[in-house]
């Protein structure tokens, strides 16, 4: 009994650690997926590999997810469906450790730094009810149709607050097959992560609230303005004190030219 319980605990721990998945539906001929599925790939590794595929600099040196026979070739079209709310979507994907390392804003900023901000096209679908789930395929097809086909990366995030995994997988595959038939050279992938963006934002906000310190915030120009006002005020104060001192110690009879020039002269006959 204890042995079975220990196996169950270990299995649950392993399952909770590997709470992410990458599914490569289609890729160009010069790309191949890594065959080593037990090397502890993380979501951060996926993000860095994606940046490298797009010809961008990776944040850190990561484990390879793809191998390319043409190093300088960039996929003409990359589709990334980001499903949030599940540990995994299928049994055929590559297991990832979900370290919350994927951030589309980071990819966007890198594209913007090389003046290719328009190379990213984004969309989102939120499923919160059975009605949303039933209409998911139509909604997804509309989002795909609205995407700029000239964009280098087409990113669609699917937030699953109330999803049925089998229906989601079936309807997503239908749309993916349509994309592959229309763009045979496209790279089409699905990234699955457990936490939704709203959960991550709430957790990050809570962490910031714990670490925040109560202090007065000053602008970067505060030292300059302080010195300007302080020394100007000090100089004016010294000038006023000097003027007041001179007037207090002034002898009207001998120190001013006004009284000396207007002194009456005695008339001599």
């Amino acid at each position: 009994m204890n042995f079975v319980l220990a196996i169950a605990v270990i299995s649950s721990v392993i399952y909770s650690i590997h709470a992410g998945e990458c599914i490569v539906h289609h890729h160009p001929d010069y790309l191949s997926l890594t065959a080593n599925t037990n090397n502890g790939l993380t979501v951060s590794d996926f993000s860095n590999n994606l940046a490298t595929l797009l010809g961008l600099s990776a944040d850190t040196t990561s484990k390879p997810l793809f191998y390319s026979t043409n190093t300088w070739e960039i996929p003409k079209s990359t589709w990334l469906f980001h499903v949030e709310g599940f540990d995994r979507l299928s049994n055929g994907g590559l297991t990832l450790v979900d370290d919350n390392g994927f951030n589309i804003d980071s990819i966007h900023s890198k594209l913007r730094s090389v003046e290719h901000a328009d190379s990213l096209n984004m969309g989102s679908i939120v499923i919160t009810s059975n009605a949303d789930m039933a209409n998911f395929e139509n909604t997804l097809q509309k989002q795909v149709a609205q995407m700029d086909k000239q964009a280098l990366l087409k990113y669609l995030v699917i937030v699953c607050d109330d999803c049925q995994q089998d229906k989601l997988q079936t309807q997503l595959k239908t749309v993916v097959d349509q994309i592959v038939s229309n763009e045979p050279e496209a790279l089409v992938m699905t990234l699955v992560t457990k936490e939704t963006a709203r959960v991550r934002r709430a957790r990050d906000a809570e962490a910031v609230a714990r670490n925040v310190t109560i202090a007065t915030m000053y602008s970067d120009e505060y030292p300059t303005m302080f010195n300007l006002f302080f020394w100007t005020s000090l100089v004016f104060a010294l000038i006023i004190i000097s003027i007041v001192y001179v007037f207090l110690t002034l002898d009207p009879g001998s120190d001013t030219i006004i009284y000396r020039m207007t002194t009456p002269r005695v008339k001599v006959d």
Side-chain angles (χ1 to χ4, degrees):
M1 182 65 181
N2 293 334
F3 177 75
V4 174
L5 182 60
I7 294 296
V9 171
I10 294 173
S11 300
S12 64
V13 169
I14 294 174
Y15 183 77
S16 64
I17 292 174
H18 297 286
E21 183 183 26
C22 169
I23 307 170
V24 180
H25 304 283
H26 184 76
H27 58 79
D29 295 335
Y30 62 87
L31 286 177
S32 60
L33 190 64
T34 179
N36 188 3
T37 59
N38 297 319
N39 57 354
L41 285 167
T42 65
V43 173
S44 295
D45 292 326
F46 173 84
S47 180
N48 289 324
N49 276 270
L50 177 62
T52 303
L53 281 176
L54 298 176
L56 305 171
S57 60
D59 293 331
T60 58
T61 303
S62 60
K63 300 173 183 176
L65 179 63
F66 290 97
Y67 293 100
S68 175
T69 58
N70 191 346
T71 308
W72 305 107
E73 186 73 16
I74 297 175
K76 297 178 181 178
S77 177
T78 300
W79 289 83
L80 177 59
F81 297 94
H82 187 180
V83 179
E84 297 182 333
F86 287 112
D87 290 316
R88 56 190 308 114
L89 201 59
S90 70
N91 294 323
L94 180 64
T95 300
L96 301 176
V97 177
D98 189 1
D99 59 351
N100 302 315
F102 183 81
N103 186 356
I104 192 63
D105 293 333
S106 176
I107 301 290
H108 192 199
S109 64
K110 290 176 182 178
L111 288 169
R112 192 165 54 241
S113 66
V114 295
E115 299 181 355
H116 286 293
D118 55 349
S119 297
L120 173 62
N121 207 193
M122 295 186 289
S124 63
I125 300 174
V126 180
I127 303 175
T128 59
S129 63
N130 291 331
D132 293 337
M133 188 71 255
N135 199 39
F136 170 67
E137 185 175 336
N138 292 331
T139 305
L140 184 58
Q141 288 177 342
K142 290 179 182 178
Q143 288 275 3
V144 169
Q146 293 173 358
M147 286 287 176
D148 182 7
K149 298 302 184 292
Q150 302 301 320
L152 187 64
L153 174 61
K154 274 80 73 174
Y155 174 75
L156 266 166
V157 58
I158 303 168
V159 182
C160 296
D161 286 342
D162 185 8
C163 294
Q164 300 174 24
Q165 185 174 348
D166 54 345
K167 289 185 178 181
L168 179 71
Q169 183 179 357
T170 302
Q171 296 180 41
L172 178 60
K173 185 179 183 303
T174 302
V175 176
V176 166
D177 291 341
Q178 293 175 355
I179 293 173
V180 172
S181 63
N182 294 330
E183 302 180 31
E185 292 300 317
L187 172 61
V188 186
M189 301 180 292
T190 295
L191 174 65
V192 183
T193 54
K194 179 64 176 176
E195 287 188 339
T196 64
R198 278 174 285 185
V199 173
R200 288 196 299 273
R201 284 195 296 268
R203 187 187 63 251
D204 294 341
E206 183 180 353
V208 171
R210 286 197 302 265
N211 296 328
V212 71
T213 56
I214 302 175
T216 305
M217 300 301 293
Y218 297 101
S219 68
D220 294 337
E221 297 180 355
Y222 176 78
T224 304
M225 299 300 295
F226 174 82
N227 280 280
L228 179 63
F229 282 104
F230 174 77
W231 292 109
T232 302
S233 302
L234 181 62
V235 169
F236 278 131
L238 292 175
I239 292 173
I240 293 174
I241 291 173
S242 300
I243 293 173
V244 171
Y245 175 78
V246 169
F247 274 106
L248 289 175
T249 58
L250 183 66
D251 185 357
S254 59
D255 294 336
T256 63
I257 191 174
I258 298 175
Y259 287 102
R260 285 201 299 266
M261 295 299 294
T262 57
T263 302
R265 297 180 180 178
V266 179
K267 185 176 181 179
V268 179
D269 292 334

